[in-house]
Amino acid sequence: MDFQAVLDDITAQILPLLGTAGHVATYIPALARVSPLQFGMALRTCEGQEAAAGDSTTPFSIQSMSKVFSLTLAMRSQGDACGSASGANPRAAPSIPWCNWRPNAAFRVTLSSMPEPSQWPTGC
């Protein structure tokens, strides 16, 4: 698959929309400094193929995106039990969206079950 063409196509569709709706979060200083006109993405496949488009080389703060990585690590090590192992109960806090309660709880599970960095898997 030509990932570069796919990312270039997505970028071409997104660029005209930048700055036309929404606003940059100002309650987190690292986010408040970001231009609403920035957009970038990159990927690397398990086979080593790389593609990047837009402002992909511009450093940025990942903030809540890190929750997805934490959840992925927790689910990889604990499976579907990561919610119960962490004591998280979405019914106990119905006003908190899934993207907040489960990854935050998963982060606690991940930290408690992760091996030392020297034992982390490499590659995919």
Side-chain angles (χ1 to χ4, degrees):
M1 174 176 260
D2 185 359
F3 291 112
Q4 188 61 57
V6 171
L7 295 190
D8 289 342
D9 183 52
I10 293 169
T11 300
Q13 292 178 46
I14 295 293
L15 287 179
L17 302 175
L18 296 180
T20 63
H23 63 281
V24 173
T26 57
Y27 60 94
I28 299 172
L31 297 180
R33 293 187 293 269
V34 176
S35 166
L37 303 178
Q38 281 185 326
F39 173 80
M41 59 183 159
L43 67 83
R44 184 172 199 274
T45 68
C46 292
E47 293 77 29
Q49 186 178 359
E50 295 180 351
D55 298 308
S56 62
T57 61
T58 302
F60 65 98
S61 175
I62 65 172
Q63 296 297 325
S64 290
M65 288 172 34
S66 65
K67 295 174 187 176
V68 175
F69 300 119
S70 296
L71 177 59
T72 302
L73 287 171
M75 291 184 79
R76 186 174 186 183
S77 71
Q78 302 292 318
D80 289 336
C82 73
S84 61
S86 64
N89 180 355
R91 292 180 195 91
S95 64
I96 300 173
W98 178 93
C99 64
N100 285 327
W101 74 263
R102 191 167 184 177
N104 285 335
F107 182 70
R108 292 192 301 273
V109 172
T110 302
L111 285 179
S112 67
S113 64
M114 286 194 65
E116 292 297 316
S118 62
Q119 297 174 0
W120 290 359
T122 58
C124 293

